Amino acid sequence: GDTISVKDLAMKMNKSAGELIKKLMGLGVMATINQEVDVETAEILANEFGFEVDIKVDESTYDFIEEIEDDPADLVPRPCVVTVMGHVDHGKTSLLDAIRESNVTASEAGGITQHIGAYQVVHDGKKITFLDTPGHEAFTAMRARGAQVTDIAILVVAADDGVMPQTVEAINHSKAAEVPIIVAINKIDKPDARPERVMQELTEHGLVPEEWGGDTICVPVSAKTREGLENLLEMILLVAEVQELKANPKRLAKGTVIEAELDKGRGPVATVLVQTGTLKIGDSIVAGTAHGKVRAMIDDKGRRVKKAGPSTPVEVLGLSDVPQAGDIFHAVKDDKTAKTISEKRLAKKREEELKATTKVSLDDLFKQI
Ligand code: GTP
Ligand code: MG
């Protein structure tokens, strides 16, 4: 992802690097003057000094679409979308697996779930969509394109390890995106688990647990023994309920590409999250610079489906090309429209690349002289 050095950021704000380093320490980031910080950290830092950061939108893959205005009467409740984040090895994948497994065994005995990087579970009759941590880069890319995919962030912190650098990064990302955080204090089955210490450390980063008078929900869990999972799901639904999430299922679909690859047999395959509208077989779509007609859709249980509504993750077959994670996709009125938009975007992208190379060669020339 994009980064900026502490020195450059300080210069932009007309502050001393020392002031920034001090603020960074307050945020739990140890930095030197030449250190590069990521976009989210820079944004939070800038905000601390009363500045706003403009994240530049990568327009080449976003342009040439007329946004649809929804009639408020068409808006209906949609499931919440949850992203799991946290430090390496703190148990993000294990937690997701545990949630999915319990859910699969409970609702559809013997059902084999296939990995598509995103899946849905039902708790108390309500759907929850989970996204496997899209790496921080994909997360940033999505935000840069104005795509807010997550409604709630689950911050996984291992009770035997505590708050670590990537925990802090995840906190900063969520804060910058203004996404509510629920903390899952994981691995409480371990003999050296210290959940209280984790809560103390979280407080130092501005997340004050509810039981200590703050507003951060902390749920002790174990992906291994499954303790606390029910409670975690309940907390997610509680937070989601307050958000009153809605979307219009009647319009042409729009969403975000979660991951994509070229499959030997099936061609380009994109896992997308439908965020609004309903995606149907036969729809003409554009995703970044790729376009095509939806030939088949496969849900998170490996079943072929004919349509996918808001907050539903599905695999889509039929694209001309492999889009990038974080690309926005739109269903459009016909093939011709999809093709034209994709061609215009490609042309614009090429033009920008050409501009970039011209600039580089001029710089090189300048250096030589
Ligand atoms: P990365 O994707 O590499 O960042 O890791 P992760 O956060 O997805 O962690 P992962 O789920 O791979 O778990 C890391 C290790 O911790 C594995 O060996 C798990 O078996 C173990 N682990 C995860 N959750 C628990 C838990 O609740 N209790 C215990 N005892 N071990 C756990
Ligand atoms: Mg993992």
Side-chain angles (χ1 to χ4, degrees), residues 72-144:
D74 291 331
L75 298 177
V76 297
R78 65 166 177 84
C80 65
V81 179
V82 178
T83 305
V84 178
M85 301 203 279
H87 194 70
V88 74
D89 273 354
H90 278 197
K92 300 176 291 290
T93 306
S94 303
L95 200 61
L96 280 167
D97 286 350
I99 290 170
R100 175 164 50 177
E101 236 172 81
S102 331
N103 204 266
V104 167
T105 40
S107 64
E108 44 199 300
I112 303 292
T113 30
Q114 140 189 7
H115 170 86
I116 68 162
Y119 66 88
Q120 250 180 2
V121 302
V122 181
H123 188 75
D124 281 347
K126 295 185 190 87
K127 286 179 183 167
I128 306 171
T129 302
F130 282 95
L131 297 185
D132 229 325
T133 313
H136 284 167
E137 277 183 30
F139 198 78
T140 308
M142 287 177 198
R143 284 193 54 225

Side-chain angles (χ1 to χ4, degrees), residues 6-298:
V6 169
K7 195 170 61 188
D8 290 346
L9 186 60
M11 234 151 64
K12 277 190 196 295
M13 297 193 292
N14 206 7
K15 300 276 169 200
S16 76
E19 283 176 275
L20 266 68
I21 290 169
K22 216 167 121 195
K23 268 276 194 283
L24 277 167
M25 274 171 70
L27 294 168
V29 181
M30 296 296 152
T32 58
I33 181 159
N34 290 315
Q35 189 141 339
E36 299 280 325
V37 296
D38 62 22
V39 177
E40 275 70 28
T41 309
E43 194 176 356
I44 290 168
L45 204 54
N47 291 345
E48 294 266 329
F49 286 104
F51 287 86
E52 286 224 3
V53 173
D54 247 348
I55 294 187
K56 221 174 101 202
V57 176
D58 175 5
E59 302 210 333
S60 58
T61 59
Y62 191 55
D63 264 2
F64 310 112
I65 285 276
E66 275 174 51
E67 287 295 342
I68 301 168
E69 280 275 349
D70 287 317
D71 180 343
D74 291 331
L75 298 177
V76 297
R78 65 166 177 84
C80 65
V81 179
V82 178
T83 305
V84 178
M85 301 203 279
H87 194 70
V88 74
D89 273 354
H90 278 197
K92 300 176 291 290
T93 306
S94 303
L95 200 61
L96 280 167
D97 286 350
I99 290 170
R100 175 164 50 177
E101 236 172 81
S102 331
N103 204 266
V104 167
T105 40
S107 64
E108 44 199 300
I112 303 292
T113 30
Q114 140 189 7
H115 170 86
I116 68 162
Y119 66 88
Q120 250 180 2
V121 302
V122 181
H123 188 75
D124 281 347
K126 295 185 190 87
K127 286 179 183 167
I128 306 171
T129 302
F130 282 95
L131 297 185
D132 229 325
T133 313
H136 284 167
E137 277 183 30
F139 198 78
T140 308
M142 287 177 198
R143 284 193 54 225
R145 285 162 202 162
Q148 181 90 300
V149 287
T150 311
D151 301 309
I152 298 170
I154 303 293
L155 180 68
V156 180
V157 189
D160 61 340
D161 203 22
V163 171
M164 298 299 277
Q166 278 173 277
T167 316
V168 177
E169 262 180 47
I171 295 172
N172 291 346
H173 275 81
S174 309
K175 278 188 188 162
E178 291 174 22
V179 172
I181 300 171
I182 296 177
V183 180
I185 304 179
N186 191 30
K187 307 198 188 186
I188 51 158
D189 59 284
K190 290 189 122 181
D192 51 348
R194 300 279 176 274
E196 295 260 321
R197 196 195 70 187
V198 173
M199 284 157 71
Q200 180 57 49
E201 289 168 351
L202 287 169
T203 303
E204 288 161 23
H205 294 280
L207 298 181
V208 183
E210 275 188 330
E211 40 274 79
W212 294 355
D215 55 9
T216 302
I217 300 173
C218 293
V219 188
V221 297
S222 165
K224 193 177 169 190
T225 65
R226 292 167 198 273
E227 191 183 340
L229 295 190
E230 284 271 310
N231 198 4
L232 180 62
L233 293 174
E234 256 149 52
M235 290 304 149
I236 292 170
L237 289 177
L238 203 73
V239 172
E241 201 174 295
V242 179
Q243 293 179 317
E244 292 185 33
L245 305 164
K246 286 183 177 164
N248 173 11
K250 290 184 186 166
R251 51 164 280 177
L252 287 167
K254 173 187 174 181
T256 302
V257 175
I258 305 300
E259 55 189 26
E261 58 166 19
L262 186 62
D263 185 281
K264 265 191 212 134
R266 303 185 293 169
V269 179
T271 299
V272 305
L273 175 73
V274 178
Q275 292 176 275
T276 188
T278 300
L279 188 63
K280 304 186 191 84
I281 300 270
D283 276 354
S284 303
I285 55 171
V286 266
T289 52
H291 69 98
K293 207 179 177 78
V294 178
R295 199 172 71 224
M297 285 193 286
I298 297 138

